Amino acid sequence: MNNRVFTVGSLIPGRLMVKPASAPILTEKSQQVVREKSHQVEIIIEQNGSRFEIHPVKGKLLDAALSQGMAIQYKCRKGTCGQCAVTVLQGPGLSKPNEREFEKLKNKISNGYRLACQAEIV
């Protein structure tokens, strides 16, 4: 960054030379991050007739949805109430269902149901 000091006289039209900003230089690592992000597939879930597209970030599915402004219904965040049950329509990178999910959802897991507060994005 240029730390030039401008005086009133230097701001006279014709005296100030402005260089156009150049494109940022991407390192190999930053280019790799851009490539990885462009290949990430959104997680698509449905709850009570509403469909949500969630950008995958590590952590709980519910936390990711809420941080991205999705209006997912939930209550206990422990896997006991079942309010956050969602149908995963497209969900690469989710953990396998845990015991709480099997206990709460029983045979619905085979139909794509998950508890958003228990499902981990890995």
Side-chain angles (χ1 to χ4, degrees), residues 90-109:
Q90 176 179 312
L94 289 179
S95 63
K96 293 182 180 182
N98 63 24
E99 287 182 38
R100 288 187 189 247
E101 289 182 278
F102 278 114
E103 191 176 294
K104 192 69 186 170
L105 299 174
K106 298 187 172 120
N107 60 351
K108 291 182 178 181
I109 287 181

Side-chain angles (χ1 to χ4, degrees), residues 41-45 52-54 56 61 88 90-92 94 121:
V41 179
E42 300 296 306
I43 297 170
I44 302 173
I45 60 172
F52 304 99
E53 288 187 22
I54 301 167
L61 180 60
V88 179
Q90 176 179 312
L94 289 179
I121 301 171

Side-chain angles (χ1 to χ4, degrees), residues 24-38:
I25 299 172
L26 296 177
T27 64
E28 182 61 35
K29 186 175 182 177
S30 62
Q31 289 174 347
Q32 180 181 357
V33 170
V34 169
R35 282 192 298 270
E36 287 174 4
K37 286 186 178 183
S38 66

Side-chain angles (χ1 to χ4, degrees), residues 34-94:
V34 169
R35 282 192 298 270
E36 287 174 4
K37 286 186 178 183
S38 66
H39 288 99
Q40 287 182 333
V41 179
E42 300 296 306
I43 297 170
I44 302 173
I45 60 172
E46 189 174 79
Q47 185 185 53
N48 301 325
S50 296
R51 189 175 282 204
F52 304 99
E53 288 187 22
I54 301 167
H55 181 74
V57 291
K58 286 192 179 215
K60 302 283 185 181
L61 180 60
L62 178 62
D63 294 335
L66 294 175
S67 70
Q68 294 173 35
M70 309 297 169
I72 303 288
Q73 292 180 357
Y74 70 98
K75 190 173 182 181
C76 73
R77 298 180 79 109
K78 298 181 219 170
T80 56
C81 73
Q83 283 274 34
C84 66
V86 297
T87 305
V88 179
L89 303 176
Q90 176 179 312
L94 289 179

